Amino acid sequence: MNAANDDVYRPSDRALLKGAIRQLGAQTGIEVIFAGLVNHGELVITEFVGTTTQGLKNLNVQPGEGVGGRALHQSRPVGVADYFDSHHITHQHDQAVRIEGLRTMVALPVLVEGHGRSILYAATRDRTSFGERTVNELNAGGARIARELQIRDEVDHRVAILKVVGSLAAEPLDRDLIEVVRLAHAELLSVASVTHDPDLAQRILAVTARLVGSAAAPTDVPYLTPRETDVLAQVALGCSYAEVGNRLALQAVTVKGYMQTIMAKLNVHGRTEAVRIARGFRLLP
């Protein structure tokens, strides 16, 4: 991946797939699991668990081709009980499948906003069937991959906004542009709180810290914990306590408790005033 910001780089999506299929292999006991990312409409298979040959390595699969290509084209799972006896798929990649000795196979598309971003395969070397529990675990694994890719896309988008704003730093900033920065900052904090990738979370927080610290901060600044900052950033977006709770996986009553603590620290009596004072202390952009 290219740098989205001078200090922040998107983590490797291949590493995400590798970790996900290792976890699925341990959970399900499936003989062979492999996956690849979709770039410009083409799938490239790069990550493997349980394979014994190089037959599938870096295999390019076009939409509609074989099990995975059909899953990509139709945006739904596709399975075959016996790969070589199936008349429901094309057979451009028979040699690679034969080298690995695979028979039963299922391919699940990983969709982000309706677009195929990856294909997750599970296979066996004997003719068999996957039980409901195994299928559910595979679906859950695909959903986790999709969610993390979506989070990374959102981070890229928000950091790109901040990068553009940074390029205009020498110019007087109008109120609309300042509000764009505030929204981007708040959304980045929200994303950092839900990602399951600790490295990505740290990189996001580094961006937000640099943004907040880009100008001299006032003295005697009250201290807000990271979670309190998360809550206040969402309130600054105009979210209700229930909406903040949904975004941060908290109960509404818990959010209210956080806000009461925040208002006490800032010595204010309302949410709007808390946001205003926090911005004055540069606790929010």
Side-chain angles (χ1 to χ4, degrees), residues 108-275:
L108 291 82
V110 175
L111 304 177
V112 177
E113 297 184 353
H115 299 287
R117 298 286 296 279
S118 174
I119 298 293
L120 178 64
Y121 293 84
T124 65
R125 294 186 173 86
D126 298 316
R127 184 185 175 105
T128 184
S129 62
F130 295 112
E132 181 179 355
R133 178 179 176 181
T134 299
V135 172
N136 288 340
E137 289 176 331
L138 289 171
N139 284 329
R144 287 193 296 270
I145 295 170
R147 176 58 177 157
E148 193 62 34
L149 289 174
Q150 185 176 31
I151 287 172
R152 293 177 179 196
D153 290 349
E154 183 67 15
V155 171
D156 285 350
H157 174 64
R158 297 295 172 181
V159 171
I161 290 175
L162 298 179
K163 186 175 182 180
V164 171
V165 171
S167 69
L168 300 175
E171 302 295 330
L173 298 182
D174 61 31
R175 294 178 63 87
D176 289 340
L177 191 55
I178 292 173
E179 188 59 26
V180 168
V181 176
R182 288 174 176 167
L183 290 173
H185 179 272
E187 292 292 349
L188 280 171
L189 288 175
S190 176
V191 170
S193 71
V194 299
T195 180
H196 295 291
D197 186 331
D199 182 51
L200 178 60
Q202 288 300 316
R203 295 178 185 193
I204 295 171
L205 293 175
V207 173
T208 58
R210 190 177 69 176
L211 180 64
V212 173
S214 59
T219 59
D220 301 323
V221 177
Y223 172 74
L224 298 184
T225 68
R227 201 54 163 166
E228 289 167 351
T229 304
D230 290 344
V231 169
L232 189 57
Q234 296 303 317
V235 170
L237 292 173
C239 295
S240 66
Y241 287 164
E243 290 170 333
V244 175
N246 288 335
R247 288 187 171 206
L248 301 182
L250 298 171
Q251 297 293 324
V253 66
T254 304
V255 174
K256 183 177 180 180
Y258 274 119
M259 280 304 302
Q260 289 174 340
T261 301
I262 291 167
M263 287 187 287
K265 288 182 176 182
L266 298 177
N267 194 28
V268 298
H269 302 286
R271 289 180 287 181
T272 301
E273 190 179 7
V275 170

